[in-house]
Amino acid sequence: MSASPPSQAKLAVGKQAFIGLLWGGVAVSFCFVVFRGYIRLSLFRRLFVDDVLVLASWLMLLANAIVWEVAAGSMYTLVTVENGSVPPPADFDYQLTLFFHAQIAINLLNTCGIWAIKLSFMLFFRKLCHNVRGQKWLWWCVLVPTVAAFAICIGVYDWPCLIKSLAEIISYCPTPAAEAYSNLSLRIITGCDIITDALILTIPINLLWKVQISNRYKLALVALFSLTIFVMAVAIIRVVVAIGSGGGVDSSWLYTWGAIEQTTAIIIACLVSYKSWFSKDSHPKQRYTGGTSVHPLRYKRSNSMTKGSTMHDTTVEGGKNSFSSLGAEVVPLDTIHVRSEYAVGSDRDSLPPSTYVLADR
């Protein structure tokens, strides 16, 4: 996002709409964060690192809204003074300083919040990629450029127009060279954002080709991930419109859509967190999943004899390349019937040699 002073005759988004959209995004995304936490605690009785990253992103979105609650008036005052609508107020210098310095926190909160969601997706997909051939190398090929892109975005911000004194900002930032660098940095940041979104999107798309789930779930997941494509398109449009206006970068436009992007990313991350989307079974707690995430079925010979016995059948279903709620690959077998016989007694010689019982663990 640009750090140059807004130089339009009028900002594209009014102050009340701008603040309302910020707080509306905070409220809506909070509901989805609570939903994600409820799902995770219900299934696993704990939260994971990717859950913490989503919560951290929401807290940064909240902090962003609080900062704008304080600094938004300064941005709109600057525009009205520049276009001659009102004379400069007595505290105009203070409001300028507040606006420029507030952008330091705003830019960091927005960038870190968006990349926290990207890393949350990466950790989430890492569990799904467990024991799936060809997915681990793809995961690493996406993670490395994603982390590198975050460092690039932080490094190319127009920091001199944010951290210097007001006199230096006024004298340097409106120059053609400073505006050209500001536009270039905006393009670089947007490009890194779009490219990393596209890279991360290749992981679930690749999984959908490998996992055996119903077409209904596949269509739902495609629709869900298509929201990321919508965000990518918005990122392109906001830059083209903002820079193409010819009068400098419209800060209200950029920051509004930056907040919408972060809000949408949080919502998508919370919806995708319910891993039974990737499962054939809609009741993940009631199926055997194999792998290292659950205890495998184990057997031992009974050393006791019964005078009477009880018997039951346990059916465990699995399918090739299906995924459990923990992301582990199911044993590629058809329906397995486990016949267990329990006996009470002391005469071990009469026990049939083929009789087994499930071992307690």
Side-chain angles (χ1 to χ4, degrees):
M1 296 181 184
S2 173
S4 299
S7 55
Q8 298 77 25
K10 183 179 179 181
L11 293 177
V13 184
K15 181 181 178 181
Q16 297 301 324
F18 180 65
I19 296 298
L21 285 170
L22 290 175
W23 285 110
V26 171
V28 172
S29 59
F30 174 75
C31 297
F32 284 91
V33 170
V34 172
F35 166 77
R36 178 187 177 110
Y38 171 77
I39 291 294
R40 290 305 186 98
L41 292 175
S42 297
L43 292 177
F44 310 118
R45 308 298 185 209
R46 56 166 294 189
L47 298 178
F48 298 90
V49 178
D50 52 327
D51 302 310
V52 176
L53 287 172
V54 172
L55 178 60
S57 180
W58 180 84
L59 290 175
M60 284 184 267
L61 183 66
L62 173 63
N64 203 350
I66 294 173
V67 173
W68 271 119
E69 189 72 38
V70 176
S74 300
M75 179 176 68
Y76 287 90
T77 298
L78 174 59
V79 173
T80 56
V81 170
E82 282 189 341
N83 62 28
S85 300
V86 297
D91 62 343
F92 186 62
D93 289 349
Y94 167 76
Q95 293 197 38
L96 281 180
T97 304
L98 174 64
F99 171 65
F100 292 130
H101 289 175
Q103 287 186 83
I104 299 175
I106 291 168
N107 289 335
L108 289 175
L109 287 170
N110 183 256
T111 303
C112 293
I114 290 175
W115 254 261
I117 294 297
K118 294 178 190 289
L119 293 178
S120 173
F121 273 119
M122 292 302 298
L123 293 177
F124 174 79
F125 290 137
R126 185 180 183 182
K127 301 171 188 174
L128 293 180
C129 294
H130 180 67
N131 289 337
V132 181
R133 183 176 301 175
Q135 285 295 115
K136 288 186 178 180
W137 69 266
L138 176 61
W139 187 86
W140 282 105
C141 289
V142 173
L143 177 65
V144 172
T146 299
V147 174
F150 173 73
I152 292 173
C153 290
I154 297 297
V156 300
Y157 269 123
D158 195 5
W159 296 115
C161 287
L162 297 178
I163 62 178
K164 290 185 176 181
S165 64
L166 180 60
E168 292 176 304
I169 292 175
I170 293 176
S171 62
Y172 168 73
C173 294
T175 63
E179 290 185 357
Y181 178 79
S182 178
N183 292 340
L184 176 62
S185 66
L186 177 59
R187 290 187 177 97
I188 293 174
I189 293 170
T190 304
C192 290
D193 188 13
I194 294 172
I195 291 173
T196 51
D197 280 345
L199 288 175
I200 294 173
L201 197 58
T202 61
I203 299 177
I205 290 176
N206 193 38
L207 278 173
L208 286 178
W209 285 105
K210 294 176 181 286
V211 67
Q212 291 184 354
I213 58 177
S214 66
N215 291 331
R216 179 170 61 92
Y217 280 143
K218 284 189 177 182
L219 289 175
L221 283 169
V222 168
L224 191 59
F225 286 117
S226 66
L227 294 177
T228 302
I229 300 176
F230 167 76
V231 173
M232 293 163 60
V234 168
I236 296 173
I237 294 173
R238 71 175 182 177
V239 173
V240 172
V241 173
I243 296 180
S245 61
V249 176
D250 188 328
S251 297
S252 68
W253 176 269
L254 290 174
Y255 288 117
T256 295
W257 285 104
I260 291 175
E261 177 186 4
Q262 186 175 351
T263 301
T264 306
I266 292 173
I267 292 173
I268 296 174
C270 293
L271 291 177
V272 175
S273 66
Y274 191 38
K275 292 185 185 178
S276 65
W277 283 110
F278 292 87
S279 174
K280 296 171 65 176
D281 195 336
S282 61
H283 303 286
K285 287 185 177 180
Q286 299 177 3
R287 66 180 182 274
Y288 168 64
T289 59
T292 58
S293 299
V294 296
H295 299 306
L297 292 175
R298 296 170 54 192
Y299 303 92
K300 68 178 181 180
R301 279 187 185 274
S302 173
N303 292 324
S304 58
M305 167 72 190
T306 69
K307 295 182 180 178
S309 62
T310 60
M311 190 177 299
H312 70 276
D313 291 334
T314 303
T315 301
V316 186
E317 295 188 4
K320 183 178 181 180
N321 288 334
S322 61
F323 289 82
S324 70
S325 64
L326 296 177
E329 186 177 2
V330 177
V331 177
L333 298 175
D334 295 327
T335 301
I336 303 171
H337 296 275
V338 180
R339 185 180 181 88
S340 304
E341 182 175 343
Y342 298 88
V344 179
S346 59
D347 188 0
R348 59 182 297 179
D349 296 331
S350 61
L351 180 65
S354 60
T355 302
Y356 295 88
V357 295
L358 286 173
D360 294 331
R361 182 164 183 162

